[in-house]
Amino acid sequence: REVKQRIKSSFKRRTLCGPENMTMKDVAVALALSVFLVPSSAFAPTGSSLAAGRIARPGMASKRTQVARLKLKNMAVPPSADFKDHWDKVPPAYDSSPRHPRYSNQDWLTNLKDLVFLRSKMLKRISSHLIANTVWAGVVFFLFQNVPAVTGFCAGMNPTAHSLAAGALSLLLVFRTNSAYDRFWEGRKLWGKLVNMTRELARLGHQYLRGNDREHYLALCAAFPAILMQHLQGKENTYRPSGGLYSEAQRTALHGLLGDGPMKLLWESRNRPFTVTKMMGAIVSDGMTSPAKVEKRFGKIDFDGDSQAKLKANLIMSQLTAERRHMELMISDYANVYGACERIIKSAVPTSYSAHTSRMLSVWAFTLPLALVGSLGWRMIPAVGIICWMLFTIEEVGHSIEDPFNLHVLDSKWLGKEDQLRIEASLNVLRGDVLERIPATDPSVYTDTKTQPFTARDYDPAQFHWDWEKTAK
């Protein structure tokens, strides 16, 4: 009350001169006064509200909330499983998602041994260039010792020029490697997106299609990654030491999936991944527009029956429209992914950029012995070999990762598997994910697929949920 009186008196004194003389401070005081002069009864509960019990008090819940909580506590649910006991007695299908091998500091000795014993793949790829420069360094030292003209010429060489050129050369190598790594990482992201979309399309096929439509669709979905991989790879010796059209990993992933008819169509097509997406779209369209197949899935559809029959018919039509739209959009995204992959393999790093970097590196390396022989003598030969090995390897790393879909495993642990690409390790994993019938619970489904990956039996993936509801009653 005292604060209200003070604000009132202050406001009256400041506004005697008229509102045109009010300052911003006066306006602020007026606003504060309007807040404090609000009747306290506006915030006080009325007697009726207190009587009705509608006032929320701390720590108290309404009767409706209490009833809801009571119902939740009394709801019948299946008995909970002992996760730890089950895990210990029955080993799972897999322990965890496998991680790709990573380099650690503890591998330094192994990597050094690979270099010393000439097991390094990168060293083999630059061996011709490296041997040429090392031999040239030996020739320069021989001429320096035996030809006076060469001795005088090398004595007048100053390594400052090479030091200045090394800065520009380093920038070129860094830019070249970074551009190649950008292409590699984009390809890895596209393949990761392809993996996600393959699993999603498989989920939709299990859920929305039935019988032979489902099995044919799943076969094409499981075969698509391997077919796309073969479409993107090169069959030159650099990419395929065996010179074959398919690698062993691709043959294994495609084994038993496609019949003679689909394989003949794919073999005669101009673009195999594009043909696969067209075939998948045709199966989806046929499965969702054929009256016989729709009635087999949903039963009789009656638009002229009672209210329940009409409601069911309208719900089915809405569901079919949404399902087909979803699957068509996913197949369209499939096309976007392999189109982006084709863009990577068909557009290389500009030739002028790579060629200029290679020429500059070669000229710099061949003139390096002339600048070092006068000060280092015979020690110039191993020094030039080591320096060239470091720079040539950096350049070759850019060349090797520029095409991410033809990147081989350059590790001595993979001796004998030179024909396998890094990215092919996911082909069999995707095949298993697509063809797995879980969460279907029909034992006959698994019996049929022990020897053959397909079954014409109809099963509902929601059966596990119905079983759960039965145990909850």
Side-chain angles (χ1 to χ4, degrees), residues 254-269:
L254 290 172
H255 178 71
L257 288 180
L258 302 177
D260 292 337
M263 183 59 71
K264 182 179 179 181
L265 293 175
L266 290 175
W267 219 247
E268 295 177 353
S269 64

Side-chain angles (χ1 to χ4, degrees), residues 126-141 162 169 358-370 372 380-393 395:
I126 64 170
S127 58
S128 60
H129 201 179
L130 184 60
I131 291 173
N133 278 269
T134 306
V135 170
W136 168 245
V139 171
V140 170
F141 175 72
H162 277 77
L169 180 61
S358 179
R359 293 190 193 104
M360 184 175 179
L361 180 59
S362 298
V363 171
W364 188 90
F366 273 108
T367 56
L368 184 61
L370 301 176
L372 298 180
M380 172 270 301
I381 300 176
V384 168
I386 294 174
I387 294 173
C388 290
W389 165 73
M390 291 188 294
L391 296 178
F392 294 164
T393 302
E395 182 191 24

Side-chain angles (χ1 to χ4, degrees), residues 189-203 330 334 430:
K189 290 191 294 184
L190 287 172
W191 193 259
K193 185 177 180 180
L194 177 76
V195 169
N196 297 338
M197 293 176 58
T198 301
R199 289 170 176 160
E200 176 65 10
L201 282 168
R203 182 187 70 83
M330 292 298 298
Y334 238 8
L430 285 175

Side-chain angles (χ1 to χ4, degrees), residues 226-444:
I227 291 174
L228 177 61
M229 189 73 258
Q230 190 276 331
H231 175 72
L232 298 174
Q233 73 179 13
K235 65 176 183 177
E236 297 83 359
N237 291 334
T238 306
Y239 299 135
R240 286 278 179 237
S242 65
L245 187 61
Y246 281 91
S247 68
E248 190 61 32
Q250 293 172 5
R251 292 189 185 96
T252 303
L254 290 172
H255 178 71
L257 288 180
L258 302 177
D260 292 337
M263 183 59 71
K264 182 179 179 181
L265 293 175
L266 290 175
W267 219 247
E268 295 177 353
S269 64
R270 299 179 65 254
N271 190 309
R272 285 184 284 275
F274 181 45
T275 303
V276 172
T277 56
K278 288 191 291 184
M279 296 166 73
M280 292 173 65
I283 294 174
V284 170
S285 177
D286 180 66
M288 294 188 177
T289 57
S290 172
K293 294 178 179 179
V294 172
E295 287 191 0
K296 182 180 178 181
R297 177 184 174 188
F298 296 102
K300 185 178 179 180
I301 303 175
D302 186 7
F303 285 95
D304 299 325
D306 56 8
S307 59
Q308 290 292 330
K310 292 180 180 179
L311 176 61
K312 177 184 175 181
N314 290 324
L315 289 175
I316 291 174
M317 294 303 298
S318 300
Q319 180 178 346
L320 286 174
T321 303
E323 290 175 357
R324 184 178 180 185
R325 177 179 176 81
H326 189 183
M327 298 186 76
E328 290 289 354
L329 287 175
M330 292 298 298
I331 296 174
S332 176
D333 289 341
Y334 238 8
N336 293 333
V337 168
Y338 69 70
C341 294
E342 289 177 340
R343 171 174 52 81
I344 292 179
I345 65 170
K346 292 183 178 181
S347 58
V349 175
T351 306
S352 57
Y353 189 23
S354 300
H356 179 67
T357 303
S358 179
R359 293 190 193 104
M360 184 175 179
L361 180 59
S362 298
V363 171
W364 188 90
F366 273 108
T367 56
L368 184 61
L370 301 176
L372 298 180
V373 66
S375 57
L376 296 180
W378 66 269
R379 290 178 291 273
M380 172 270 301
I381 300 176
V384 168
I386 294 174
I387 294 173
C388 290
W389 165 73
M390 291 188 294
L391 296 178
F392 294 164
T393 302
I394 295 175
E395 182 191 24
E396 189 59 30
V397 165
H399 290 304
S400 63
I401 66 176
E402 179 182 346
D403 191 351
F405 304 109
N406 289 289
L407 182 60
H408 291 264
V409 180
L410 303 177
D411 193 341
S412 60
K413 299 177 183 178
W414 287 66
L415 288 176
K417 298 182 180 180
E418 292 84 355
D419 204 40
Q420 180 171 334
L421 303 176
R422 279 182 179 270
I423 206 168
E424 289 178 343
S426 62
L427 296 182
N428 278 327
V429 176
L430 285 175
R431 173 187 170 123
D433 292 344
V434 170
L435 299 180
E436 186 182 50
R437 308 294 162 165
I438 295 175
T441 57
D442 188 356
S444 61

Side-chain angles (χ1 to χ4, degrees), residues 49-64:
S49 61
L50 285 174
R54 292 197 297 267
I55 302 303
R57 297 180 182 177
M60 295 183 63
S62 65
K63 293 182 179 180
R64 184 178 300 175

